[in-house]
C-alpha cells in the first residue's frame, strides 16, 4: 500500500512546486496510477490555482497548500478519478464540470465528436442530436465548433442532467450558442417524435461495456453503472438507438455511435442489417482499436431489404 512522506514539520519553510510534484508523483506511481507525473502536476497546479504550464513560475507551497495536495494525492491513490478531484474534465476545446453522478468524458470520444463536427459543418443550419449526453461533452463541442447548429442533448439520469445543465449554462454564458436539453430514455420508441425525419447529424456515446467485463477501479467505483454497462453483450442500448436513428435522420443524414472495442464487427453489422443506412464504416481510435461506427441515412429515406457492405477506416 502506497503512503505519502510525512508532512514536513511546521516552520520548515515553503516547498517548491517541482519538489511537491516529485513527492506526489512518487506516491501515485507506487500505487500504480498511470501518467503519475502528469497527474501530480495537474493536482499541484490545481492546489496553487495556476495553469499546469506555469507551474515552474508559481510560488512555493505553504503548509496548508501542501496538506491539501497530500489529501488529494491520497484520494487519487485510492483511485478516485482525477477529474472528480479537480471538478473539471477537458474535452476538445472545452473544460467541463464533472463529479459524482455523471460519466467522465474520455479522450477517445473526441474522435466521434470531431466526426460529428465535420458532418455538421457540411450542412446549412444543421439539427444535431446527442443521445446519452451525460456531461454534455459531445453536444457542447458541436455547439461551440458549429455556431449555426441547433443542438439537442438527450439524457435520462437526473444526476447526470444536473451536470449537463450546469455545463450548458456555463458554455452559454461564455458565448456559445445555447443547446436544448431533453430528459428522455433514448430507448423509448417515440423518442423526439417532433424531430422525425428532420435530424441532420445524430451522435451517441451509449453505455456499451458488456456486463461481465471487469473495469478499472476509477470506473467501477465512480462512473454511474447505467452509463457504463450495456447488457450481457453490451448492445442493449445500441440496438434501439440504431433503429431510432433511422427514423429521426433526414435522407442523407449522418449517424455516429461509439462502442466497445469488441464491437468492431457487431455494430457495423447492426447498421447494415437495419437497411436504412448506406456508407457504413468502422473507425479506429488512436490505439488502433475499433471505437465508433458511422453511416448515412439512405437518400430515398427507405429501408433496403438487405444490409449494405461496410468498411473500416482509421481515425
Amino acid at each position: 500500500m502506497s503512503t505519502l512522506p510525512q508532512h514536513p514539520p511546521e516552520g520548515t519553510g515553503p516547498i517548491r512546486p517541482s519538489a511537491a510534484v516529485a513527492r506526489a508523483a512518487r506516491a501515485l506511481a507506487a500505487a500504480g496510477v498511470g501518467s503519475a507525473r502528469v497527474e501530480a502536476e495537474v493536482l499541484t497546479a490545481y492546489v496553487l490555482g495556476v495553469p499546469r504550464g506555469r507551474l515552474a513560475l508559481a510560488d512555493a507551497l505553504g503548509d496548508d497548500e501542501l496538506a491539501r495536495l497530500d489529501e488529494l494525492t491520497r484520494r487519487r491513490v485510492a483511485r478516485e478519478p482525477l477529474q472528480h478531484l479537480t471538478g473539471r474534465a477537458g474535452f476538445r476545446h472545452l473544460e467541463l464540470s464533472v463529479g459524482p453522478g455523471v460519466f467522465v468524458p474520455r479522450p477517445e470520444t473526441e474522435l466521434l465528436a470531431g466526426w460529428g463536427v465535420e458532418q455538421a459543418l457540411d450542412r446549412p443550419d444543421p439539427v444535431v442530436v446527442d443521445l446519452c449526453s451525460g456531461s454534455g461533452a459531445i453536444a457542447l463541442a458541436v455547439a461551440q465548433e458549429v455556431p449555426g447548429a441547433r443542438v439537442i442533448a438527450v439524457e435520462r439520469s437526473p444526476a447526470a442532467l444536473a451536470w449537463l445543465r450546469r455545463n450548458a449554462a456555463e458554455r452559454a454564458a461564455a458565448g456559445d450558442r445555447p443547446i436544448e436539453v431533453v430528459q428522455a430514455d433514448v430507448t423509448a420508441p417515440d423518442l423526439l417524435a417532433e424531430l422525425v425525419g428532420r435530424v441532420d447529424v445524430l451522435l451517441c456515446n451509449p453505455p456499451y461495456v458488456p456486463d461481465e467485463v471487469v473495469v478499472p477501479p476509477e470506473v467501477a467505483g465512480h462512473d454511474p453503472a447505467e452509463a457504463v454497462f450495456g447488457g450481457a453483450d453490451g448492445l442493449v442500448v445500441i440496438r434501439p438507438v440504431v433503429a431510432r436513428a433511422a427514423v429521426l435522420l433526414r435522407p442523407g443524414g449522418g449517424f455516429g455511435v461509439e462502442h466497445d472495442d469488441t464491437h468492431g464487427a457487431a455494430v457495423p453489422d447492426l447498421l447494415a442489417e437495419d437497411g436504412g443506412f448506406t456508407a457504413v464504416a468502422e473507425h479506429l481510435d488512436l490505439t488502433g482499436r475499433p471505437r465508433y461506427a458511422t453511416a448515412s441515412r439512405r437518400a430515398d429515406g427507405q429501408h433496403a431489404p438487405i444490409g449494405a457492405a461496410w468498411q473500416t477506416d482509421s481515425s
Side-chain angles (χ1 to χ4, degrees):
M1 180 176 179
S2 173
T3 58
L4 286 171
Q6 292 298 308
H7 190 287
E10 185 176 356
T12 58
I15 294 184
R16 298 189 313 274
S18 59
V21 167
R23 188 166 177 269
R26 285 194 297 270
L28 295 176
V33 174
S35 304
R37 176 79 186 190
V38 170
E39 295 204 10
E41 290 176 354
V42 170
L43 290 176
T44 304
Y46 174 68
V47 167
L48 289 172
V50 300
R52 180 182 158 216
R54 296 187 62 81
L55 264 178
L57 304 176
D59 293 335
L61 288 80
D63 288 347
D64 289 346
E65 290 167 323
L66 187 59
R68 187 179 177 205
L69 177 60
D70 285 352
E71 176 58 23
L72 291 172
T73 303
R74 290 189 185 94
R75 290 167 63 185
R76 185 68 187 104
V77 163
R79 284 305 206 268
E80 189 169 344
L82 177 68
Q83 297 86 350
H84 282 201
L85 300 179
T86 64
R88 306 293 283 177
F91 188 84
R92 289 182 70 83
H93 308 295
L94 302 172
E95 284 288 329
L96 303 170
S97 294
V98 295
V102 71
F103 184 81
V104 174
R106 274 33 176 200
E108 55 265 30
T109 305
E110 295 184 18
L111 298 173
L112 174 61
W115 181 89
V117 166
E118 292 174 359
Q119 294 291 308
L121 285 171
D122 285 341
R123 305 164 196 265
D125 302 318
V127 176
V128 181
V129 170
D130 172 29
L131 301 183
C132 303
S133 191
S135 65
I138 292 177
L140 293 168
V142 173
Q144 182 185 66
E145 297 177 49
V146 191
R150 175 191 175 192
V151 181
I152 300 99
V154 181
E155 175 56 52
R156 180 184 70 176
S157 163
L161 275 164
W163 291 104
L164 171 54
R165 292 190 172 109
R166 174 176 172 177
N167 285 318
E170 287 180 358
R171 292 314 312 164
D176 292 351
R177 178 170 177 174
I179 67 170
E180 301 169 38
V181 176
V182 175
Q183 182 173 13
D185 185 337
V186 301
T187 67
D190 60 347
L191 176 70
L192 300 177
E194 70 281 7
L195 292 179
V196 167
R198 296 174 53 198
V199 177
D200 293 284
V201 182
L202 192 149
L203 305 168
C204 182
N205 179 19
Y208 55 65
V209 177
D211 287 346
E212 294 185 359
V213 171
V214 177
V215 295
E218 288 88 345
V219 176
H222 300 279
D223 278 326
E226 66 177 319
V228 175
F229 297 103
D233 62 0
L235 299 172
V236 167
V237 175
I238 292 179
R239 286 191 185 91
V241 163
V242 167
R244 192 59 182 168
V247 175
L248 291 173
L249 287 166
R250 68 173 73 251
F255 174 54
V257 58
E258 187 171 318
H259 56 67
D260 192 67
D261 58 15
T262 62
H263 293 152
V267 173
D269 282 347
L270 286 174
L271 288 164
E273 291 165 2
D274 178 86
F277 299 97
T278 61
V280 176
E282 177 58 34
H283 302 260
L284 309 180
D285 62 22
L286 298 178
T287 68
R289 298 176 179 176
R291 185 52 59 198
Y292 69 100
T294 61
S296 294
R297 184 68 174 93
R298 284 173 56 94
D300 60 8
Q302 303 300 310
H303 280 70
I306 300 176
W310 54 271
Q311 63 186 24
T312 299
D313 295 328
S314 60
S315 296

